[in-house]
């Protein structure tokens, strides 16, 4: 029975497509009976001193049980999202003395219904003294510095020997992750003083640690449960002030509390992603050899230090992308601004790195009048150069970039596309074509390289239970982990239960982010299964009255037998029930290192010369994430990633006005992508296994985004013959077409 690599449909889907999932707001639990509903009063000011808050009128509103401000809190601020960050840079639970972005929680209302809480919020009066604004946004002053990075070669002599040096500037605009389920939490303290906390999150154990730190709790007195999670895309990594306040209010008033945000609140206060500006300089020779590269990054970290301040670390790690460039240097400054904090968003730091180098390569190709594919081909890291250490010190595990590019050229029929482009140009066709290519390599499983897994065969119940430290929110881990267990144990997938997201059920875990789950959590499942088979063999041998060296597991049937005697078998359930046991299990903590998936994407855009309307008419993606466990889910992950990549290139972007007021706080103003804007994708998979883990797998959850943004940007710039900032809206494209490019005014 070979299950791994098969196109197995997701076991999760029948429930999602029929009864629907159980998200935090759907959770029914006796502990939550008689709960209050919370609503937050949020800052209307980007940066202001709080002169006074008057809650008296709100307290008198029907159904209101309590109103709290920072003065009432008897716990500390949010702990730093990464231990290395200065706690002074962390967000407060409720704004104290000042506010630093529009949407920052200032007060919380607890009422008998959500409607009552929302209505009462109108009666809270906050007296603000606005601060002078331009002292904060990208002021460049050291007092606004959240973090800084510097890697690679010295600047002096970086471009020595380069007879061609090109520069370009890029914007990687702020993005809103827009999970369909907005943030939500529900908290109850039981009679024994134990906190039960339901929250829509990607890393429940990180939330648990945050709650322990803030409330000074023993690990046994907190239970965190992430039920079904309706998407995360990065910013649901860990605690937010609102969910901590939900637990705090529940404790303070002695009643369970629930909180769910509206879409508008989510667009304002759920952390954004990206927010980088780049200046790139690429040097080489006029015959097409790339020699030196400089990447200078400004990261808008937002109002408090979140994962966004760390995103440049992922960008500089991937500075030189897929190219064998001898000298490189990257610097980054993450600056605070009076805007929503910036966190991780699909790809976090790597679409930015790919976008920068891939744009620079195109600009260089144009400067020396060489086909961009040809320039890439001449400079790719050779397939026999792995493990490959880049000039900034990153070690790529495995890769075959030339193969990815060759496959792309073949599958997309690149030459035919260029011919069609020429034909349209010659004919003066008002629907011009742009062809953009991006060859990418990205890093997955950054952060702690470990994950927890337990596999137990329950002989009495005839079930296998997998407990995993990963916490899926759309990635199909139930299917994938049960495929791994089924393959290795020989027990049908339908007999495997996968438990995750509940800290009482799974004692530890790091959660799901950085496309880490298959390679770390999946490998933990494999490691536990392998250990379990080794544990079972002596038991089976005793039952078969044979020497253990002669006994094998037939993993096509899930039975043990003596070599050469397949007719006399002992099944798993019998082995697990042997003696006084009811179950046989193994627990493991798998440790592994980062891996570097790669690929090549090609986008064809069609632009209406008269209106600037820009459509992606073809998207070909060749991706290599090492060994693929489930091609259906992997393709689904690519589809989602490509959609978000196209959205970033053409449509979506968070906008603040010059005063720091957010202008994109709903799905009318924020042009969230839909299927209607997307072409059918052409996917082509290649597999170069990694030695970094026993599955040979790399991550694929973010690859689509990493390649697609750059490919589409390059396609539009190819069509226009000039540089234009993303999102490449019809207005921007039209301005570029009509010589009114905002960049050059
Ligand atoms: N897979 C595979 N073989 C591989 C790698 C992956 O078959 N070599 C398949 C597996 O079926 C696995 C899935 O792809 O279940 C994703 O695996 P992996 O690449 O390890 O990524 P994670 O499970 O760690 O997911 C994280 C990643 C990230 S970082 C973001 S952001 C993201 C994403 O996943 N957010 C998502 N995909 C998302 N999908 C949905 N629906 N919703 C989100 O919020």
């Amino acid at each position: 029975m070979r299950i791994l690599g098969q196109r197995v449909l997701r076991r999760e889907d029948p429930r999602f497509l029929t009864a629907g999932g159980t998200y935090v707001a759907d959770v029914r639990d006796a502990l939550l009976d008689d709960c209050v509903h919370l609503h937050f009063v949020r800052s209307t000011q980007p940066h202001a001193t709080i002169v006074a808050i008057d809650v008296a009128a709100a307290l008198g509103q029907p159904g209101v049980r309590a109103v709290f401000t920072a003065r009432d809190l008897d716990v500390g601020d949010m702990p730093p999202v990464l231990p290395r960050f200065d706690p002074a840079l962390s967000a407060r639970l409720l704004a104290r003395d000042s506010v630093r972005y529009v949407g920052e929680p200032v007060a919380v209302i607890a009422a008998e219904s959500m409607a009552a809480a929302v209505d009462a919020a109108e009666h809270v009066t906050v007296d603000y003294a606005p601060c002078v604004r331009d002292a904060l946004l990208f002021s460049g002053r050291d007092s606004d510095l959240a973090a800084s990075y510097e890697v690679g070669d010295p600047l002096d002599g970086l471009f020595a020997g380069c007879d061609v040096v090109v520069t370009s500037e890029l914007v990687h605009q702020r993005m809103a992750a827009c999970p369909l389920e907005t943030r939500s939490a529900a908290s109850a303290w039981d009679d024994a003083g134990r906190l039960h906390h339901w929250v829509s999150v990607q890393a429940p154990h990180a939330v648990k640690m945050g709650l322990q730190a803030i409330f000074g709790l023993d690990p046994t007195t907190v239970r965190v449960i992430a039920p079904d999670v309706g998407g995360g895309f990065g910013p649901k990594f860990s605690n937010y002030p609102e969910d901590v306040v939900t637990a705090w209010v529940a404790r303070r008033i002695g009643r369970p509390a629930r909180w769910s945000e509206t879409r508008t609140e989510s667009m304002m206060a759920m952390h954004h992603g990206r927010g980088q500006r780049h200046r790139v300089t690429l040097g080489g020779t006029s015959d097409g050899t790339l020699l030196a590269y400089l990447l200078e990054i400004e990261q808008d970290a937002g109002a408090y230090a979140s994962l966004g301040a760390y995103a440049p670390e992922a960008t500089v790690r991937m500075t030189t992308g897929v190219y064998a460039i001898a000298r490189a240097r990257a610097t980054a400054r993450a600056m605070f601004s009076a805007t929503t904090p910036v966190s991780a968003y699909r790809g976090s730091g790597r679409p930015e790195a790919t976008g920068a180098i891939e744009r620079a390569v195109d600009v260089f190709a144009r400067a020396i009048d060489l086909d961009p594919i040809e320039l890439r081909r001449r400079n790719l890291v050779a397939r026999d150069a792995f493990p490959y250490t880049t000039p900034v010190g990153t070690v790529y595990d495995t890769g075959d970039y030339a193969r990815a590019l060759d496959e792309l050229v073949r599958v997309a029929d690149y030459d035919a596309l260029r011919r069609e482009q020429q034909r349209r140009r010659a004919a003066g066709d008002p629907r011009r074509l742009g062809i953009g290519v991006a060859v990418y390599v990205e890093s997955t499983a950054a952060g702690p390289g470990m994950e927890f897994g337990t596999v137990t065969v329950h002989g009495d119940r005839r079930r296998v239970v997998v407990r995993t430290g990963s916490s899926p929110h759309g990635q199909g881990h139930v299917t994938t982990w049960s495929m791994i267990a089924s393959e290795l144990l020989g027990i049908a997938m339908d007999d495997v239960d996968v438990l995750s997201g509940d800290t009482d059920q799974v004692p530890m875990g790091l959660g799901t982010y950085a496309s880490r789950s298959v390679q770390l959590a999946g490998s933990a499942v494999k490691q536990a299964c392998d250990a379990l088979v080794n544990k079972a063999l002596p038991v089976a041998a005793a039952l078969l009255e044979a020497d253990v060296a002669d006994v094998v597991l037939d993993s096509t049937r899930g039975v043990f037998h003596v070599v050469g005697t397949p007719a006399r078998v002992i099944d798993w359930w019998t082995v697990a029930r042997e003696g006084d046991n009811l179950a046989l299990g193994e627990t493991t903590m798998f440790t592994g290192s980062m891996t570097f998936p790669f690929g090549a994407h090609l986008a064809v855009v069609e632009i209406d010369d008269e209106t600037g309307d820009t459509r992606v008419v073809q998207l070909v993606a060749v991706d290599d994430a090492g060994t693929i466990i489930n091609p259906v889910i992997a393709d689904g992950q690519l589809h989602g990633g490509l959609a978000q990549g196209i959205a970033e290139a053409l449509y979506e972007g968070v906008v603040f006005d010059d005063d720091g007021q957010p202008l994109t706080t709903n799905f009318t103003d924020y042009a969230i992508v839909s299927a209607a804007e997307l072409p059918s994708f052409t996917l082509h998979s290649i597999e170069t296994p990694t030695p970094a883990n026993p599955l040979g797998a790399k991550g694929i959850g973010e690859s689509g985004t990493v390649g697609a943004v750059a490919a589409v940007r390059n396609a539009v710039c190819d069509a226009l013959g000039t540089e234009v900032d993303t999102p490449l809206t019809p207005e921007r494209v039209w301005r570029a077409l009509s010589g009114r490019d905002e960049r050059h005014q």
Side-chain angles (χ1 to χ4, degrees):
M1 178 166 48
R2 182 80 195 156
I3 297 173
L4 301 187
Q6 299 298 310
R7 301 190 73 85
V8 176
L9 293 183
R10 287 174 23 133
R11 292 178 64 199
E12 292 88 337
D13 285 349
R15 181 171 65 86
F16 284 129
L17 295 173
T18 54
T22 303
Y23 305 95
V24 172
D26 305 320
V27 169
R28 297 286 165 261
D29 191 291
L31 282 167
L32 293 171
D33 286 350
D34 192 33
C35 67
V36 290
H37 297 264
L38 306 189
H39 184 70
F40 288 84
V41 176
R42 295 178 182 278
S43 172
T44 56
Q45 301 293 314
H47 187 209
T49 302
I50 299 175
V51 180
I53 307 177
D54 185 351
V55 302
L59 271 170
Q61 296 303 305
V64 171
R65 288 293 155 263
V67 182
F68 299 110
T69 67
R71 282 194 184 173
D72 302 301
L73 296 173
D74 52 7
V75 290
D77 295 332
M78 295 288 288
V81 66
L82 294 176
R84 74 171 94 146
F85 284 155
D86 179 352
L89 308 179
S90 293
R92 285 82 54 95
L93 295 184
L94 293 171
R96 193 173 54 240
D97 306 328
S98 67
V99 288
R100 293 174 53 136
Y101 67 96
V102 173
E104 181 168 4
V106 173
V108 61
I109 317 250
E112 295 302 336
S113 70
M114 179 58 81
V118 171
D119 286 349
E122 300 288 320
H123 297 269
V124 174
T125 311
V126 187
D127 189 3
Y128 295 106
C131 299
V132 180
R133 275 278 299 116
D134 55 276
L136 266 172
L137 268 180
F138 287 112
S139 66
R141 297 181 329 172
D142 283 350
S143 58
D144 291 339
L145 191 66
S148 64
Y149 305 85
E150 185 177 333
V151 296
D153 297 294
L155 191 56
D156 253 12
L158 191 65
F159 293 98
C162 298
D163 54 42
V164 180
V165 177
V166 298
T167 62
S168 186
E169 289 182 0
L170 287 89
V171 171
H172 305 271
Q173 75 274 15
R174 266 183 192 238
M175 299 290 292
C178 306
L180 287 187
E181 183 201 17
T182 54
R183 294 176 302 162
S184 189
S187 301
W189 298 78
D190 67 20
D191 294 343
R194 189 166 193 250
L195 171 60
H196 303 253
H197 188 72
W198 289 262
V199 61
S200 182
V201 76
Q202 298 169 215
H205 292 85
V207 168
K208 183 178 174 201
M209 282 193 286
L211 293 170
Q212 281 169 223
I214 290 166
F215 292 105
L217 296 170
D218 182 77
T220 58
T221 56
V222 190
R223 176 187 188 189
V224 172
I225 307 137
D228 290 324
V229 173
F233 304 111
K236 279 192 193 165
F237 171 69
S238 184
N239 299 91
Y240 274 92
E242 292 93 334
D243 78 83
V244 176
V245 168
T246 305
W248 182 84
V249 171
R251 187 174 75 171
R252 174 67 172 255
I253 67 175
R255 278 174 67 180
R258 299 188 93 125
W259 162 71
S260 293
E261 66 182 352
T262 62
R263 179 61 62 188
T264 294
E265 289 179 287
S266 189
M267 298 299 281
M268 283 196 297
M270 173 184 256
H271 293 179
H272 296 150
R274 308 276 190 270
Q276 289 189 9
R277 290 182 197 170
H278 290 182
R279 182 176 170 79
V280 292
T281 311
L282 182 60
T285 58
S286 52
D287 65 358
T289 305
L290 302 176
L291 294 175
Y293 179 54
L294 174 64
L295 171 61
E296 294 163 287
I297 303 169
E298 262 188 357
Q299 169 77 55
D300 176 0
Y304 298 101
S306 182
L307 289 175
Y310 161 83
E313 186 164 318
T315 311
V316 301
R317 185 189 300 134
M318 303 311 299
T319 298
T320 48
V322 290
Y323 304 105
I325 299 176
R327 295 186 302 274
R329 172 182 176 78
T331 60
R333 284 162 66 82
M335 308 297 290
F336 287 119
S337 66
T339 55
T340 311
V342 175
S343 180
Y345 170 62
R346 207 165 196 167
S348 190
R350 290 100 80 204
E352 295 93 315
T354 299
I357 186 81
E358 288 303 289
R359 190 66 220 125
V361 168
D362 265 20
V363 173
F364 194 98
R366 198 197 296 149
I368 62 167
D369 197 21
L370 186 67
D371 183 276
I373 298 266
E374 184 52 31
L375 179 61
R376 285 176 167 81
R377 222 175 239 141
R378 288 186 198 173
N379 290 282
L380 293 174
V381 174
R383 63 172 62 96
D384 59 3
F386 295 91
Y388 174 80
T389 305
T390 75
V392 299
T394 307
V395 183
Y396 298 163
D397 51 351
T398 51
D400 189 345
Y401 309 145
R403 182 172 171 214
L405 183 58
D406 288 347
E407 293 285 295
L408 183 77
V409 167
R410 183 182 62 78
V411 175
D413 200 351
Y414 179 73
D415 294 337
L417 288 170
R418 284 284 179 214
R419 281 196 299 276
E420 170 62 9
Q421 185 182 45
Q422 284 307 330
R423 190 196 63 73
R424 289 197 192 190
R425 276 185 188 154
D429 193 324
R431 293 169 309 122
R432 65 174 71 199
L433 277 192
I435 301 159
V437 172
V439 189
Y440 75 86
V441 55
E442 65 133 338
S443 57
T444 57
M450 60 181 79
E451 196 46 277
F452 172 89
T454 288
V455 179
T456 310
V457 176
H458 291 270
D460 51 342
R461 297 195 279 121
R462 299 174 79 87
R463 304 290 297 171
V464 177
V465 176
V466 173
R467 289 166 206 268
T468 175
S470 74
S471 197
H473 43 282
Q475 295 90 348
H477 293 178
V478 170
T479 305
T480 315
W481 294 188
S482 45
M483 285 170 75
I484 295 170
S486 181
E487 167 104 5
L488 297 173
L489 303 181
I491 295 174
M493 280 178 63
D494 285 345
D495 293 335
V496 181
D497 300 316
V498 178
L499 301 180
S500 65
D502 179 341
T503 60
D504 270 9
Q505 295 282 352
V506 183
M508 47 188 125
L510 286 111
T512 291
Y513 55 91
S515 300
R516 67 193 300 276
S517 300
V518 165
Q519 53 197 304
L520 298 176
S523 293
V525 175
K526 172 167 167 42
Q527 198 164 273
C529 286
D530 289 342
L532 189 56
V533 172
N534 286 335
K535 197 179 210 177
L537 280 170
V539 182
L543 289 167
L544 290 162
E545 295 171 333
D547 191 308
V548 67
D550 297 331
V551 174
V552 289
L553 169 68
D554 177 350
S555 61
T556 62
R557 297 186 288 157
V559 293
F560 298 86
H561 63 81
V562 174
V563 180
T565 319
R568 192 170 159 246
V569 299
I570 298 283
D571 66 17
W572 268 108
W573 318 122
T574 310
V575 170
R577 266 198 326 262
E578 177 56 8
D580 295 335
N581 295 328
L582 293 176
L584 195 65
E586 273 289 351
T587 296
T588 187
M589 182 61 96
F590 176 77
T591 53
S593 52
M594 269 195 287
T595 59
F596 294 84
F598 61 94
H601 291 183
L602 182 144
V604 181
V605 297
E606 195 172 78
I607 295 177
D608 183 325
D609 269 3
E610 286 176 10
T611 63
D613 184 41
T614 303
R615 304 273 160 155
V616 177
V617 291
Q618 199 176 338
L619 196 301
V620 183
V622 176
D623 296 282
D624 190 324
T627 307
I628 294 295
I629 309 301
N630 184 326
V632 176
I633 300 179
D635 284 0
Q637 286 295 308
L638 284 170
H639 277 233
L642 293 171
Q644 286 181 306
I646 292 172
E648 183 173 337
L650 294 189
Y651 305 113
E652 297 182 25
V654 172
V655 180
F656 291 92
D657 73 9
D658 290 343
D659 293 327
Q661 290 290 339
L663 301 181
T664 42
T665 57
N666 55 54
F667 286 167
T668 307
D669 296 326
Y670 187 87
I672 188 170
V673 76
S674 78
E677 287 85 38
L678 302 170
S680 274
F681 304 130
T682 306
L683 303 185
H684 184 76
S685 170
I686 55 179
E687 294 190 25
T688 309
T690 176
N693 61 68
L695 293 171
K698 306 181 183 185
I700 207 163
E702 297 158 287
S703 303
T705 309
V706 175
V709 190
V712 176
R713 183 195 287 113
N714 281 351
V716 176
C717 293
D718 174 65
L720 301 175
T722 182
E723 305 301 292
V724 189
D725 292 335
T726 54
L728 296 149
T729 57
E731 181 184 346
R732 283 200 171 131
V733 171
W734 178 82
R735 282 180 185 279
L737 279 168
S738 51
R740 295 175 204 183
D741 182 359
E742 57 199 328
R743 280 178 156 221
H744 306 300
Q745 284 182 350

